[in-house]
Amino acid sequence: MSPVDSAGTGTNPDNATTTQPAGFDFGPAWLFVPADRPDRYAKAAERADIVIIDLEDAVAPADKAAARQSVAENLLDPARTVIRINPRDTEEFAADLDLLATLPYTHVMLPKAESAADSAPLSDYRVIALIETARGAINLPEIAAAPEVVGLMWGSEDLIADLGGGSSRLPSGGYRDVALHVRSQTLLTGRAHGTWVLDSIWADIHDLDGLAAEATDAVESGFDGKVSIHPKHIPVVRDAYRPTPEQLAWARAVLELAETSAGAFSYEGKMIDAPLLKHAGHIVARDR
């Protein structure tokens, strides 16, 4: 039985809620590690919720074969590991598939996904489709609906490079409108198809305040997690996803009152109705 058959795709378009596949220890703080740096694998696994071993952008073309060997010889926990392979239209794709067939990993990140056909060769795996081209952004519904796709992520700099631009961010640090559009569309499409959705990286390693603000926005917008490129970003992302004591107290009180209320009710001077009850449920769910 394939990994997808045994645990489900994670999609649920009927109610558009996120379903996390069984057998995967989902958490909000994800971390890329170069596949050709096996000395960093264990350290990354100690710090992050999920490690993404990167065979694509982080590895020079001449080092791809050696990187695959490193992945094969230095196994991590499959329940907390994703392998980012090379795009389907590259010569490295077939070699990556051969490698995956020998490994226990079930989750694969597919870069530059542009259609359902791109993920089809990965039908035995649970795929996180990475949206980072104009064609991928336009075809988001088709990509998200593919049976093997359980998650979406968007990539800002590859997207802008594909568009012919120079930077995804304004001098102020915020995203340009086109990047924000794709970010929002990835989230909306993922939610509509019941997949989970990851926010893009924060590239400035030392600007932790900027990361904290963006991670908080990711939480409040509905992203399931945020991917990082440096270990020092992990605690910042975790802090953003962890509810404050005040948030938890409010959410638990609201949910408790809802058990004895027939409809909308007032709490702390505010009307509490169905949407706010959902907010409360989400806050409690993040308390881990």
Side-chain angles (χ1 to χ4, degrees):
M1 182 176 289
S2 74
V4 168
D5 291 335
S6 63
T9 64
T11 60
N12 188 354
D14 290 335
N15 60 18
T17 58
T18 302
T19 302
Q20 296 165 8
F24 195 60
D25 190 13
F26 197 97
W30 297 44
L31 179 64
F32 277 121
V33 62
D36 59 352
R37 293 299 305 270
D39 56 307
R40 297 182 182 177
Y41 290 9
K43 293 178 181 177
E46 290 173 0
R47 296 170 181 173
D49 296 322
I50 304 294
V51 175
I52 308 170
I53 301 178
D54 187 6
L55 283 163
E56 192 213 8
D57 285 346
V59 180
D63 298 329
K64 298 282 189 182
R68 280 189 285 268
Q69 189 67 26
S70 293
V71 173
E73 295 176 351
N74 299 272
L75 297 180
L76 296 178
D77 181 0
R80 298 180 52 239
T81 307
V82 174
I83 307 298
R84 176 158 87 162
I85 61 175
N86 288 277
R88 183 172 178 246
D89 63 355
T90 66
E91 60 183 18
E92 303 292 343
F93 183 77
D96 290 346
L97 290 189
D98 290 342
L99 170 68
L100 286 173
T102 69
L103 301 177
Y105 299 122
T106 58
H107 287 69
V108 178
M109 179 171 283
L110 178 65
K112 299 176 178 64
E114 295 189 330
S115 71
D118 287 343
S119 61
L122 297 164
S123 60
D124 284 340
Y125 302 92
R126 301 173 199 129
V127 177
I128 300 103
L130 186 47
I131 308 302
E132 47 190 350
T133 67
R135 187 162 179 247
I138 293 298
N139 291 333
L140 261 165
E142 172 190 339
I143 294 166
E148 61 277 351
V149 171
V150 296
L152 298 175
M153 178 182 165
W154 76 291
S156 57
E157 295 309 324
D158 278 298
L159 171 68
I160 295 299
D162 185 63
L163 294 175
S167 172
S168 67
R169 295 187 183 268
L170 299 164
S172 63
Y175 282 119
R176 297 185 187 281
D177 287 347
V178 67
L180 283 175
H181 173 76
V182 174
R183 182 179 189 247
S184 298
Q185 283 300 112
T186 302
L187 178 59
L188 290 168
T189 305
R191 283 292 174 268
H193 288 82
T195 72
W196 27 271
V197 189
L198 304 171
D199 197 20
S200 189
I201 66 164
W202 177 262
D204 191 331
I205 292 174
H206 303 295
D207 183 8
L208 300 186
D209 290 339
L211 169 62
E214 186 164 286
T216 298
D217 179 76
V219 175
E220 299 300 339
S221 295
F223 285 94
D224 294 289
K226 188 166 181 63
V227 181
S228 296
I229 57 171
H230 196 280
K232 71 191 295 185
H233 289 184
I234 295 301
V236 179
V237 172
R238 282 203 180 119
D239 284 346
Y241 274 84
R242 186 180 299 113
T244 66
E246 294 77 15
Q247 287 176 319
L248 271 177
W250 174 86
R252 287 171 175 160
V254 163
L255 293 174
E256 184 176 350
L257 285 170
E259 293 179 0
T260 57
S261 300
F265 58 93
S266 177
Y267 179 68
E268 294 184 339
K270 293 183 179 179
M271 184 62 66
I272 307 297
D273 55 7
L276 288 181
L277 288 177
K278 286 185 178 180
H279 293 331
H282 295 156
I283 290 170
V284 172
R286 295 204 315 270
D287 183 30
R288 50 172 295 163

